[in-house]
Amino acid sequence: NSARNALTVYGKLSVRGTSVLQFNSGQSLTIARGGFLSGNGTIAGSGIVQSNGIVSPGSSLGTLTFSNNLTLSGTAQMELFSGGNLGSSDKINVLAALAGGGVVQVATNGTFVIAAGDKWDLFDWTTGTPSFTFDGSAVALDPGLSWDTSQLNIDGTIAIIPEPSAWVLVVLGVIVLCRVRYCVPIGRSHHGTQ
């Protein structure tokens, strides 16, 4: 775990177990175009994931921690492992600023059924305002469900919600049920006859 100067990865680098990849002050790990960072552990320094570079926490469920800033201009591949109010998933922790406009791709391990209300915390950071693009195309959602990514760039979470069109159908169904229940023909009112 001796400190090192800057390191640029063009191939694959895996941080294993609870290992720490230590950098000298002001030095950083750069995942270059075509580079791939995976595993669990800590990058003790700053990280830069360039366009077409990939960071993928864990070899299954995993967390990568950056003790300094992370600029993510490439792709973060995150796997979802279980659902629920706070389901388990891969995660990236940044103990300083998180920046960049990279892509967040999600996939599942295929062992659970995604349902409305499921939520995952993919990122934690101290400062910064990322502008990620979300890609959930690898996950086949049941009809009537959609991704809610409105909080991804605010607190690092994504969730599953009913599609708005499903809510419209529910509301219309309630209106029709109320009309039928009270036997009010459409176009007539309860007001007395004249």
Side-chain angles (χ1 to χ4, degrees), residues 1 14-22 39-43 63-65:
N1 284 0
S14 182
V15 181
R16 302 202 184 261
T18 58
S19 58
V20 176
L21 188 56
Q22 181 76 40
N40 297 294
T42 300
I43 309 300
T63 299
L64 279 172
T65 299

Side-chain angles (χ1 to χ4, degrees), residues 13-19 36-43 54-66 77 90-92:
L13 174 64
S14 182
V15 181
R16 302 202 184 261
T18 58
S19 58
F36 187 87
L37 171 65
S38 66
N40 297 294
T42 300
I43 309 300
I54 297 172
V55 59
S56 181
S59 54
S60 61
L61 180 63
T63 299
L64 279 172
T65 299
F66 291 83
Q77 294 178 339
D90 289 336
K91 189 169 190 171
I92 296 176

Side-chain angles (χ1 to χ4, degrees), residues 84-110:
N85 185 38
L86 195 55
S88 61
S89 66
D90 289 336
K91 189 169 190 171
I92 296 176
N93 285 324
V94 182
L95 305 180
L98 176 60
V103 176
V104 177
Q105 291 179 338
V106 297
T108 67
N109 64 356

Side-chain angles (χ1 to χ4, degrees), residues 174-192:
V174 168
I175 291 170
V176 168
L177 182 63
C178 288
R179 287 212 170 266
V180 169
R181 179 151 167 71
Y182 294 107
C183 298
V184 178
I186 296 177
R188 294 192 182 171
S189 68
H190 278 300
H191 305 295

Side-chain angles (χ1 to χ4, degrees), residues 71-166:
T71 301
L72 179 55
S73 299
T75 300
Q77 294 178 339
M78 312 296 268
E79 193 168 2
L80 312 177
F81 288 88
S82 69
N85 185 38
L86 195 55
S88 61
S89 66
D90 289 336
K91 189 169 190 171
I92 296 176
N93 285 324
V94 182
L95 305 180
L98 176 60
V103 176
V104 177
Q105 291 179 338
V106 297
T108 67
N109 64 356
T111 62
F112 71 102
V113 176
I114 291 179
D118 288 350
K119 182 177 180 179
W120 299 272
D121 185 8
L122 304 179
F123 294 89
D124 281 333
W125 65 91
T126 305
T127 62
T129 308
S131 56
F132 298 134
T133 301
F134 180 79
D135 178 2
S137 63
V139 179
L141 297 179
D142 287 341
L145 297 178
S146 64
W147 292 104
D148 177 4
T149 60
S150 62
Q151 299 300 302
L152 178 60
N153 292 313
I154 297 170
D155 66 9
T157 61
I158 60 171
I160 300 293
I161 57 172
E163 284 187 345
S165 60

